[in-house]
Amino acid sequence: MLCPPEPSPGPQPLDGPPADPPTSPLPLGPPERGADSSPKGPPSPLAGKDSSFEDLEQFLATSERRGQSPGGPPEPATPGLKEPLLEQLRSTVKDIHNAIDRLLSLMLLAFEGLNSAVSKDRCLACIEEPFFSPLWPLLLALYRSVHRPQEAALSRSMELYGKAPPAAIGIPSKLLPQGPEATGTGTYPYRAAAQELGLLVLESCPQKKLECIVRALRAICACAEGYHRAHEPAPDAEPQPGTAAIGADDLLPILSFVVLRSGLPQLVSECAALEEFIHEGYLIGEEGYCLTSLQSALSYVELLPGGPAHAAETGTSCTGGSTAFAPALT
Amino acid sequence: MAVAGGGGGAAAGRAYSFKVVLLGEGCVGKTSLVLRYCENKFNDKHITTLQASFLTKKLNIGGKRVNLAIWDTAGQERFHALGPIYYRDSNGAILVYDITDEDSFQKVKNWVKELRKMLGNEICLCIVGNKIDLEKERHVSIQEAESYAESVGAKHYHTSAKQNKGIEELFLDLCKRMIETAQVDERAKGNGSSQPGAARRGVQIIDDEPQGQSGGGGCCSSG
């Protein structure tokens, strides 16, 4: 088992007395955590960690039981029901961040040489897979209970628009195939991207999931370029680099179409969890852009106008949002 | 990897990482604008696999290394509500309008309001009148645009993506302003008034200097 070493023995780590951490900057995760990493905090980090996972399992068991008896109304009123879930999620998220911080600290205590920005990133990358793989299914279940209204709205939209032609989602015809691929029964445009999203839900390591999202968006760009080229069989020399390059104006409608075809409402929960746990350095880069775009497409799809049943179902969760920008479905 | 490169000493050897969002209605030419900027004459393989949606550029300004990440956003009205998740944590915003299209200038005004509301004064705003090659068809007066920009603390630029005019200047100036803002930020932090909210912002300056590991204290207290 992992056990924090005694602080007393001989060579102290370079990092000064253990009393100063709350003020020391650590380039990880949200700042609120600083508050409870004070030395007078939880008596034993490991006990804290174990019990929080037990809590999570216990919580999942009870929420399943609750789900199995749909007849009887749950004890608290609807707003009260959401609160404990959110609270549970928040504290679980915090526990996970703390656990990762501790693992990182242990690695740095064990190997002083790792104490550089680059090495820390490496350490975190190494921790990630063994740490998250067993945890992700449980964590996702928790995220899914919290995001149940969004998932319901998404699957509703997927039902209503899952077979809608790409032009209905606002994809211009120059970015669509003309040939058999356009009308073929077994396939649809941008299928490669939807397949990548399908792989995402099979992975259990955040980094690998993120890679699936990046590959999905790259697939969109590659397909778009291919379709565009096919429209303009430019006989005059090389096509100018960048003339077929699509910007967000095209990317988002295509991504929304891909989301609809994927038929995976749980993507909204996956993305929420990824946003929380991927390395902060990725948020500004290509990976962050891809995640943000997928989240945007998901909320766009979620808010597509539905039938009256849709309004009743999601009326509580999206406060007035759906009327604010009724999408222009032509 | 987008993490700012580590640097040794106090002032030298750092790399700034800035996030810049690109806003503008459908046909104002924002895609051409960034493609122009990023298709560098020394290296025409600058266009990433995400094409014009997400572009990066490395610069060296007065010895300071800058990594620029340019985030394009969808200009269509129906995606407007999704804006905030794109521009959170941005260091700069480029708001593009078409000088021949009064409507696109009104849209810019809406975005300015929204950005100021959500991100306050820390974000560097650039209002860009594109398509100055179509000067004859101008529908937005220079004076109106410039005085509006001044009134909201933004800077105004004239560009032509078609003729490759004004684009280098626009980005260079924006980078300088973002560096200044980041330095003011750093100084404020140095004075001990560090805001916890800043930890998730785009600028990260990572020193290689050994520093305390937070969480270490909690770890060792069990002994």
Side-chain angles (χ1 to χ4, degrees), chain A residues 262-308:
Chain A
S262 76
L264 296 166
Q266 66 266 45
L267 285 174
V268 71
S269 307
E270 293 269 10
C271 287
L274 281 178
E275 187 187 355
E276 182 64 49
F277 293 111
I278 63 168
H279 191 295
E280 194 184 328
Y282 284 123
L283 288 176
I284 193 179
E286 186 182 17
E287 293 87 351
Y289 184 80
C290 292
L291 180 61
T292 301
S293 298
L294 180 56
Q295 287 177 302
S296 293
L298 284 163
S299 27
Y300 175 70
V301 167
E302 181 193 325
L303 297 175
L304 283 173

Side-chain angles (χ1 to χ4, degrees), chain A residues 40-93:
Chain A
K40 302 235 149 57
S44 155
L46 274 176
K49 183 184 157 197
D50 283 345
S51 69
S52 75
F53 289 146
E54 272 163 28
D55 284 352
L56 178 57
E57 277 167 9
Q58 207 171 25
F59 158 77
L60 287 168
T62 54
S63 76
E64 262 166 40
R65 255 179 271 130
R66 202 188 291 153
Q68 278 158 5
S69 57
E75 320 83 56
T78 318
L81 175 74
K82 280 211 79 176
E83 280 310 302
L85 272 177
L86 262 181
E87 275 311 306
Q88 181 84 41
L89 179 62
R90 272 190 208 123
S91 74
T92 305
V93 163

